[in-house]
Amino acid sequence: MKSKRTKGRQWLLAMLGAMTLTAGMASCNGYDLDEQAPEGWGSSIYDYMVDQGNYSNMVRMIDDLNYRDVLAKTGSKTFFAANDEAFERFYAHNDWGVKSYADLSKSQKRLLVFGAMINNSYQIQTLSSSEGGSEGPEEGVCMRRLSALTAYDSVPVLKAADMPDNPYWRRYREQGQIVCMKDMTTVPMLHFIEKMLVNRKITNEDYNFLYNHTTNRQAGEASVNGVQVAEPNLRCSNGFIHRVEDVVAPLPNMAEIIASKSNTRIFNKLMERFCAPYYCGDDATRLYNNEYGTAVDSVFQKRFFSRKSQDGGVLNYTPDNGPVYGMLKYDPEWNSYFSSTAYTADIALQRDMGVIMVPNDEAMTDYWENGAGRVLKDNYGSWERVPDDVVVELINNNMLSSFVGSVPSKFNNILNDANDPMGVTEEAVDSVWLGCNGAVYLTNRVYSPTAYVSVSFPALINETMKIIYWGIDKLKYYIYLNSLNSYYSFFLPTNNALLEYIDPVSYGKTQTQLFRFHYDSQQLNENDRVWASIWNYDTETGEVGDSVGKASYGQIIDRLADILDNHIVIGDVEDGNEYHRTKGGTEIRVKNVAMGANGMTVEGSYQVNEGKPIPVSYIYDQSKDGNGKTYILEGEPIMGTRMTVTDVLASHEEFSKFNELLNGCGLLENVHNNRNLCGGSNISVFNTYHYTVYVPTNKSIEDLQKSGKLPTLESLDYLEEAGLYEQKTADSLKIVNFVKYHIQDNALFIGAGNNDGDYETAIIDPKTERFYKVSVKANNDGISITDGAGNTRQVQKSGNLYNLMAREHQYNAISASSITEIETSSSAVIHQIDEPLFYLK
């Protein structure tokens, strides 16, 4: 170690002559200043201030805190020093009520000394450099650094009147006071340095906006906690002094800023629903008592229930280990907040911070009485009665994860809870307050979450629909359902309806099973709040058999994804058409829309083939200010049939000839790619999409076979027996191609509106290596198909042999005993046509 220190000093002395104030990383990280100061580096930080004669306030505080030996000897510090003239201005105007040095408490002295110090040596420009780059320190990315403060330098005793008004604080309000840290993490220092501003594309105009246009920033200027650096890079033997124009005080965090303002009381009260005092532990209590000479029995810290809290973890439980009913996007009390997950915590906090847009009380009142918040007033009557899981949507929509991405020059890039542009403007921001973990924008309007005008809103506000809302949240479908760029028809099954969900995975088993979903709000872990029991089920009699266990979290998420996909329609199901395609690609049938609730019905392929229509019990109209209508289903959810295409064909004698060809041509599979068990005999050319299968009449197929244009399966057996293998191969290919040409991409229904176009079939033209197509005209009266030979065929409406639905599933394992989830599925509609289709003349 001695040898390494000697070499380090030799290297340092050799480099001193070549250094400039802007060269590289001037941190004393690599300097050995702890034991010996380099020659020619002048006096220490402490001695410099003494010698200057106009830093008496700073020097006196250092002496009072017994810190002279540290700053008067060797070491490695950066100190932002205010002279006596700056302190005179501070005593004249400050938020602490301090009029002179004599008024300063020991804690306040600590804040002013250690809050203005970094435990490392930096020149001004190198303050913008941070570790974490692929090739060493990265310049122009750092905007915050941890100061020399500790959590114990200032620990307030909260009086009852200063505590948040929620049940978690009630017992402490009643006892009168509590020793409570605002946050048990270090308070960072905020510095705006030229390289960082340029690199992160924060303009001078942005800077002036952040300081409420009280500044006129010029290139090259630097500031720390909002105070301009007047004289940078005063080199001392144990680091650097940067003289600042005014006294540098630590910045409060965003939560404390919001709580301290008289015109943000409504928003603050809503936000503080989600905070509680957490015991800091025996060690913290002992350290506090030792530091302050007290004998308190408990020291607490204020924290918010949040998805991102201290150290980047989740805080999803109350101090009594109870469940929470809403979590903020991040903890606004967390001094060291960081959003990135690409770096360690100490590096991530350097690169960014947060922003909270806080409407003033006037804006909140107008929002409640006349704006988008009126829906809350109509449902609940007062803010106090709005549930936490509803309120949290409003708070989170106004919490922005990135300060760097939320300055005025980038306002167009700010997105709401649906990932749509939020529309933030400078005119909407009345004031800006900068904190140690982010900026607070005081707004004169409320940026309402689209969740309040979305088709998912009924699930958010109704306890009887919590299962679906839980699924929306876990699967992040709110990004989809909250978008105001589309119109949605959302069929929403209640908790009670989801007791009747026939498990499509059980279609691949010998016993059909029923999932019965339940919601338990008392579960601490959000992931455990929805659970499902599994029961044997007889689809013919509707009899529920034995319980066979509980579904895993993965199974529940898998089934809810399938349910949601097949309950969402992009478009208006009241447009006069009967058939509508869901997000999942399946088709549903909607009837009696003019009758409204308790008359209108909906059917999935299960209800069409094996069940009965589901009545719509209530309709929420969100179309005026939102994105569509929500149709409540109380009986059962929309479900998919277990019937594959060949199952449907087999159930109708009129399809027997085509079904015979389909079963005999090798296009069916029961296991896909030797990996995925199928729910029946699946068509192998189906691939997670929706299809139309055209079935020629039995007579037309027989006529083709009699004419010799289409081989029969029996003729293939004859060729096999005769050893005519080449001829058999050629004839087999004719049958396969014949069947494939009758399978078309895109499911087209009579009654789904006008759909005209050229659609690919399942057969590839070997010359062009593209799929052969058919030209189709479909409307609510019929469907006509023109084939490659120029023939036009018609879908036959007699006998109800059209619009027949099928669905084909693949599962996540090869054996019935192992399957647990849906790997993928395809759906199809089957129509009888009058004559066969030909891809060539």
Side-chain angles (χ1 to χ4, degrees):
M1 291 297 294
K2 181 177 180 181
S3 174
K4 289 180 181 179
R5 287 196 297 269
T6 302
K7 290 180 180 179
R9 287 194 292 270
Q10 290 172 345
W11 175 85
L12 174 62
L13 293 171
M15 291 297 295
L16 287 177
M19 287 180 60
T20 65
L21 291 180
T22 59
M25 281 283 289
S27 165
C28 287
N29 240 10
Y31 304 167
D32 188 12
L33 298 178
D34 293 330
E35 297 184 10
Q36 180 177 342
E39 295 179 7
W41 269 46
S43 56
S44 67
I45 291 173
Y46 180 84
D47 290 337
Y48 175 87
M49 289 191 289
V50 171
D51 293 343
Q52 291 299 305
N54 61 339
Y55 290 92
S56 61
N57 285 273
M58 295 298 312
V59 170
R60 190 175 173 186
M61 281 190 287
I62 293 167
D63 289 340
D64 288 350
L65 297 173
N66 296 318
Y67 210 67
R68 173 179 180 177
D69 286 348
V70 176
L71 293 181
K73 296 182 179 179
T74 54
S76 182
K77 304 289 183 182
T78 302
F79 199 77
F80 296 90
N83 60 24
D84 293 336
E85 184 180 345
F87 267 92
E88 288 304 313
R89 292 193 294 272
F90 172 76
Y91 295 139
H93 302 284
N94 63 76
D95 295 331
W96 296 353
V98 172
K99 302 298 184 182
S100 67
Y101 186 90
D103 295 335
L104 288 170
S105 67
K106 183 177 180 180
S107 290
Q108 289 170 337
K109 293 174 185 177
R110 285 174 168 170
L111 295 176
L112 295 178
V113 171
F114 301 129
M117 184 191 306
I118 300 173
N119 288 324
N120 217 327
S121 180
Y122 295 95
Q123 296 185 51
I124 280 294
Q125 287 304 321
T126 55
L127 281 171
S128 70
S129 297
S130 176
E131 299 294 331
S134 58
E135 298 180 359
E138 187 176 357
E139 293 187 2
V141 296
C142 180
M143 60 185 296
R144 289 193 298 163
R145 289 187 187 278
L146 295 179
S147 68
L149 284 168
T150 72
Y152 299 94
D153 284 326
S154 179
V155 183
V157 177
L158 287 183
K159 302 296 185 182
D162 299 322
M163 298 180 199
D165 185 12
N166 72 41
Y168 310 110
W169 294 83
R170 184 172 296 133
R171 73 177 101 165
Y172 305 107
R173 289 171 65 89
E174 290 172 355
Q175 74 182 37
Q177 66 182 34
I178 181 177
V179 178
C180 185
M181 300 181 186
K182 299 300 176 67
D183 178 64
M184 205 174 171
T185 61
T186 304
V187 176
M189 180 184 293
L190 175 64
H191 46 69
F192 290 134
I193 311 299
E194 181 74 14
K195 281 186 180 180
M196 186 281 294
L197 295 172
V198 171
N199 184 60
R200 306 308 293 273
K201 295 181 172 56
I202 299 175
T203 67
N204 288 344
E205 290 74 20
D206 291 334
Y207 181 95
N208 294 334
F209 166 86
L210 296 171
Y211 288 101
N212 300 300
H213 300 285
T214 60
T215 59
N216 182 25
R217 188 182 186 279
Q218 303 298 313
E221 292 181 349
S223 66
V224 178
N225 286 0
V227 178
Q228 289 297 115
V229 176
E231 192 175 358
N233 305 325
L234 301 172
R235 189 176 65 183
C236 299
S237 61
N238 56 349
F240 285 95
I241 289 177
H242 307 293
R243 184 176 70 80
V244 287
E245 290 186 354
D246 291 298
V247 174
V248 172
L251 297 174
N253 58 53
M254 290 184 285
E256 297 310 311
I257 291 174
I258 297 167
S260 69
K261 303 301 177 182
S262 61
N263 56 347
T264 60
R265 297 191 187 282
I266 297 175
F267 188 91
N268 181 64
K269 188 172 183 179
L270 295 176
M271 190 174 76
E272 285 195 332
R273 286 190 188 186
F274 303 94
C275 74
Y278 288 81
Y279 179 55
C280 292
D282 294 344
D283 289 344
T285 302
R286 184 174 60 257
L287 285 170
Y288 172 83
N289 285 329
N290 290 341
E291 185 70 27
Y292 290 93
T294 58
V296 300
D297 58 1
S298 300
V299 173
F300 298 86
Q301 62 173 322
K302 180 182 176 184
R303 299 180 67 185
F304 282 77
F305 315 141
S306 51
R307 300 190 183 279
K308 197 173 184 70
S309 188
Q310 292 176 12
D311 298 321
V314 175
L315 183 60
N316 59 355
Y317 57 89
T318 69
D320 297 326
N321 288 318
V324 301
Y325 303 104
M327 288 187 286
L328 302 186
K329 189 179 294 184
Y330 54 81
D331 186 345
E333 195 83 31
W334 177 23
N335 294 327
S336 301
Y337 162 74
F338 60 85
S339 58
S340 174
T341 57
Y343 307 96
T344 58
D346 57 331
I347 294 175
L349 77 86
Q350 295 178 354
R351 295 170 175 249
D352 209 346
M353 56 184 188
V355 171
I356 303 180
M357 299 190 298
V358 180
N360 61 38
D361 290 341
E362 183 180 352
M364 286 292 286
T365 300
D366 184 64
Y367 173 76
W368 179 261
E369 297 290 344
N370 308 305
R374 178 74 192 199
V375 66
L376 300 179
K377 180 180 180 180
D378 292 343
N379 275 279
Y380 300 109
S382 68
W383 277 116
E384 288 71 24
R385 295 179 62 188
V386 181
D388 289 352
D389 58 354
V390 177
V391 166
V392 78
E393 299 288 344
L394 173 64
I395 306 297
N396 282 340
N397 192 55
N398 287 274
M399 296 185 78
L400 310 179
S401 298
S402 171
F403 166 82
V404 170
S406 304
V407 293
S409 61
K410 302 171 188 175
F411 274 176
N412 290 338
N413 300 326
I414 297 177
L415 304 179
N416 61 18
D417 56 339
N419 276 357
D420 293 327
M422 189 176 283
V424 180
T425 64
E426 282 194 59
E427 292 73 24
V429 180
D430 287 345
S431 298
V432 179
W433 301 300
L434 287 170
C436 67
N437 60 350
V440 175
Y441 293 173
L442 179 69
T443 62
N444 52 41
R445 57 158 294 183
V446 178
Y447 289 95
S448 185
T450 56
Y452 290 174
V453 292
S454 158
V455 289
S456 65
F457 182 66
L460 172 63
I461 64 173
N462 283 287
E463 291 297 320
T464 61
M465 304 172 194
K466 286 301 182 186
I467 294 172
I468 280 295
Y469 197 79
W470 181 92
I472 291 171
D473 181 62
K474 292 301 173 187
L475 291 159
K476 299 190 183 333
Y477 272 46
Y478 49 80
I479 296 175
Y480 189 81
L481 289 171
N482 289 354
S483 174
L484 301 182
N485 295 324
S486 299
Y487 185 100
Y488 296 101
S489 297
F490 183 30
F491 291 89
L492 202 167
T494 63
N495 297 350
N496 188 65
L498 288 170
L499 294 170
E500 308 296 332
Y501 176 69
I502 300 172
D503 181 21
V505 174
S506 68
Y507 295 162
K509 302 178 181 181
T510 57
Q511 174 67 59
T512 304
Q513 293 173 334
L514 191 75
F515 267 41
R516 294 196 145 171
F517 290 92
H518 306 268
Y519 186 80
D520 183 358
S521 64
Q522 295 305 306
Q523 287 293 328
L524 178 62
N525 189 335
E526 270 194 335
N527 290 350
D528 296 333
R529 290 186 184 168
V530 169
W531 62 280
S533 54
I534 307 174
W535 304 76
N536 289 330
Y537 183 67
D538 189 324
T539 55
E540 292 186 3
T541 65
E543 183 178 345
V544 179
D546 296 332
S547 172
V548 294
K550 288 178 66 175
S552 68
Y553 176 79
Q555 288 176 299
I556 291 170
I557 288 295
D558 177 70
R559 305 309 192 273
L560 286 176
D562 188 62
I563 290 170
L564 282 167
D565 280 346
N566 295 294
H567 283 70
I568 300 169
V569 174
I570 306 172
D572 184 2
V573 297
E574 300 183 33
D575 62 359
N577 297 316
E578 189 170 309
Y579 291 89
H580 303 271
R581 182 162 300 139
T582 67
K583 177 182 180 294
T586 61
E587 212 82 9
I588 60 173
R589 183 165 68 185
V590 180
K591 302 179 74 173
N592 306 323
V593 295
M595 297 177 67
N598 297 311
M600 178 181 177
T601 63
V602 62
E603 299 165 84
S605 57
Y606 169 80
Q607 281 82 21
V608 170
N609 290 355
E610 302 152 79
K612 59 184 180 180
I614 310 167
V616 172
S617 60
Y618 194 83
I619 301 172
Y620 284 86
D621 189 352
Q622 300 284 87
S623 59
K624 181 180 178 181
D625 299 312
N627 60 356
K629 289 186 179 180
T630 308
Y631 303 89
I632 307 304
L633 308 179
E634 294 182 336
E636 64 185 30
I638 299 168
M639 292 179 283
T641 182
R642 71 182 307 149
M643 298 182 72
T644 64
V645 170
T646 188
D647 290 336
V648 174
L649 297 180
S651 66
H652 297 276
E653 175 59 29
E654 296 90 339
F655 296 153
S656 61
K657 289 299 178 182
F658 187 83
N659 193 35
E660 181 182 303
L661 295 175
L662 175 61
N663 276 268
C665 72
L667 285 180
L668 296 182
E669 62 181 8
N670 293 102
V671 175
H672 181 71
N673 285 344
N674 294 316
R675 186 180 64 189
N676 304 111
L677 182 70
C678 300
S681 295
N682 288 3
I683 295 178
S684 59
V685 296
F686 281 7
N687 185 22
T688 317
Y689 199 57
H690 48 89
Y691 302 87
T692 302
V693 179
Y694 299 110
V695 182
T697 63
N698 288 341
K699 182 178 183 305
S700 66
I701 293 176
E702 289 172 340
D703 289 345
L704 268 184
Q705 292 172 331
K706 289 176 181 178
S707 69
K709 293 181 180 179
L710 179 65
T712 65
L713 296 176
E714 291 79 6
S715 69
L716 298 183
D717 294 337
Y718 170 78
L719 294 173
E720 173 76 21
E721 293 172 1
L724 301 174
Y725 302 118
E726 290 186 9
Q727 183 63 45
K728 179 191 175 184
T729 300
D731 284 1
S732 296
L733 184 60
K734 287 182 181 179
I735 296 175
V736 170
N737 288 344
F738 177 82
V739 173
K740 282 185 173 181
Y741 194 63
H742 288 77
I743 299 172
Q744 166 206 298
D745 287 356
N746 290 278
L748 301 180
F749 284 74
I750 296 173
N754 296 331
N755 289 284
D756 297 350
D758 295 333
Y759 298 95
E760 292 181 342
T761 66
I763 177 175
I764 294 178
D765 183 345
K767 294 181 180 179
T768 64
E769 296 185 347
R770 295 181 178 180
F771 289 98
Y772 284 110
K773 294 182 178 181
V774 290
S775 181
V776 183
K777 293 183 177 180
N779 54 44
N780 289 347
D781 297 319
I783 297 176
S784 63
I785 311 101
T786 301
D787 62 20
N791 304 304
T792 298
R793 311 305 192 193
Q794 303 292 332
V795 170
Q796 302 297 287
K797 294 180 67 176
S798 60
N800 291 322
L801 299 175
Y802 66 99
N803 286 357
L804 303 179
M805 296 183 183
R807 193 177 185 196
E808 302 194 346
H809 297 86
Q810 293 176 19
Y811 306 116
N812 64 338
I814 197 170
S815 67
S817 60
S818 301
I819 58 175
T820 57
E821 297 179 9
I822 303 167
E823 184 76 13
T824 188
S825 68
S826 298
S827 59
V829 60
I830 298 135
H831 305 294
Q832 180 147 83
I833 56 175
D834 52 356
E835 295 286 343
L837 302 171
F838 300 99
Y839 54 90
L840 292 174
K841 290 186 178 180

